[in-house]
Amino acid sequence: MDVRHPTHPEQIPTFDTAALRGHYLVEDLFEPGAIRTVYSHQDRVVLGGAVPQPGSPLQLETEPPLRSEHFCERRELGILSLGQGTVTVDGSTYELDHRDCLYVGRGTRSVTFDSSAGGHFYLASTPAHTTYPTSVARHADTVPAKLGDPATANVRELRKYVHPDGIHSCELVMGVTELAEGSIWNTMPCHTHDRRTECYLYFDLPEEHRVIHLLGQPHETRSMIVRNEQAVISPSWSVHSGAGTHRYGFVWAMAGENQAFTDMDHVAIDELR
């Protein structure tokens, strides 16, 4: 388990490209035949990737930084399926299609990933103080919010999976946003969350294309070049917005003091520097 320590916004001007990527970008989550995880001290978020090989299921194990007997002893877990596969939670098996989401509640002792079709799984986990039941949100059954305008190249569909009016959780909020053909911008005008960390995983981006992701305080922004299936950790003081060289989707996951989706501090485009 890789560990990422918190940063102060005043550090941003001192970071070169390597430092920015080392603190905020998660580059290699998906390794065939393995589960890889990153522990961030920003709201104690854990991000992970599970890539089971046909006939070789993967068991989610605890890691030393968690100081726990099993991974979900004091945590809840959101799982986003990238492709087709199954997740078995304490003996119950869930079939997941591409972009389906499975929520796993605190106290779960066993989580196993399997796929015979080359599917893999993105994990987002947060601390939890109570237990909610394991539940599935299907991409095909979730009504999207339609956002954006062709004139500003940000037409997109946003699906909320884990949130106060959907799958209930203790702290985690999670969903998927997908851009329309010809659109490149996610979340612009952008915003910050003073009481929450937000993490993006970019996906469905062709291998030869990239997203230019903006981060930092609104008056002191920096950028990173991000490829398919890489994740970005955004502290509460940082904007999180990007433009791609091709349409794409992204998984957003938030953790912090509150779960209200609209709890954000909007930043006008002319305020960005």
Side-chain angles (χ1 to χ4, degrees), residues 178-269:
E178 297 165 278
L179 276 66
E181 193 69 45
S183 286
I184 60 170
W185 280 103
N186 63 62
T187 323
M188 180 59 71
C190 58
H191 56 263
T192 60
H193 301 284
D194 193 48
R195 297 190 289 163
R196 291 185 294 190
T197 295
E198 182 161 12
C199 302
Y200 280 2
L201 175 85
Y202 290 102
F203 71 97
D204 281 354
L205 181 68
E207 187 59 36
E208 69 274 20
H209 285 277
R210 298 292 185 269
V211 171
I212 297 90
H213 182 92
L214 299 180
L215 71 160
Q217 291 181 290
H219 67 276
E220 189 76 57
T221 63
R222 296 293 185 270
S223 65
M224 295 188 300
I225 308 300
V226 181
R227 62 175 170 80
N228 187 52
E229 295 188 352
Q230 292 184 333
V232 180
I233 301 167
S234 299
S236 60
W237 43 264
S238 177
V239 298
H240 35 281
S241 184
T245 61
H246 188 281
R247 69 181 294 270
Y248 54 90
F250 63 99
V251 186
W252 44 268
M254 292 182 275
E257 190 178 3
N258 130 345
Q259 293 184 312
F261 186 83
T262 56
D263 182 18
M264 59 185 74
D265 301 302
H266 295 278
V267 179
I269 292 174

Side-chain angles (χ1 to χ4, degrees), residues 49-221:
V51 189
Q53 300 300 281
S56 299
L58 294 173
Q59 174 95 22
L60 180 63
E61 305 288 354
T62 189
E63 298 276 2
L66 303 183
R67 305 291 198 271
S68 61
E69 180 181 343
H70 46 275
F71 188 93
C72 288
E73 181 178 344
R74 297 185 301 273
R75 288 184 157 269
E76 56 192 357
L77 171 66
I79 300 168
L80 197 288
S81 180
L82 297 166
Q84 293 181 316
T86 63
V87 182
T88 301
V89 179
D90 283 349
S92 297
T93 298
Y94 300 85
E95 299 274 352
L96 301 178
D97 287 328
H98 185 43
R99 297 165 294 181
D100 287 349
C101 179
L102 178 68
Y103 169 83
V104 178
R106 185 195 71 161
T108 297
R109 301 189 68 87
S110 174
V111 180
T112 303
F113 303 92
D114 199 1
S115 178
S116 60
H120 50 293
F121 306 88
Y122 174 60
L123 320 179
S125 173
T126 63
H129 60 263
T130 192
T131 300
Y132 290 96
T134 296
S135 303
V136 177
R138 303 286 180 188
H139 181 274
D141 298 334
T142 306
V143 178
K146 296 182 182 295
L147 306 170
D149 190 295
T152 48
N154 65 348
V155 177
R156 58 203 190 275
E157 292 187 344
L158 182 150
R159 286 174 167 84
K160 300 178 188 178
Y161 291 151
V162 183
H163 63 105
D165 296 320
I167 295 177
H168 286 192
S169 66
C170 180
E171 184 176 344
L172 180 68
V173 181
M174 189 171 182
V176 164
T177 298
E178 297 165 278
L179 276 66
E181 193 69 45
S183 286
I184 60 170
W185 280 103
N186 63 62
T187 323
M188 180 59 71
C190 58
H191 56 263
T192 60
H193 301 284
D194 193 48
R195 297 190 289 163
R196 291 185 294 190
T197 295
E198 182 161 12
C199 302
Y200 280 2
L201 175 85
Y202 290 102
F203 71 97
D204 281 354
L205 181 68
E207 187 59 36
E208 69 274 20
H209 285 277
R210 298 292 185 269
V211 171
I212 297 90
H213 182 92
L214 299 180
L215 71 160
Q217 291 181 290
H219 67 276
E220 189 76 57
T221 63

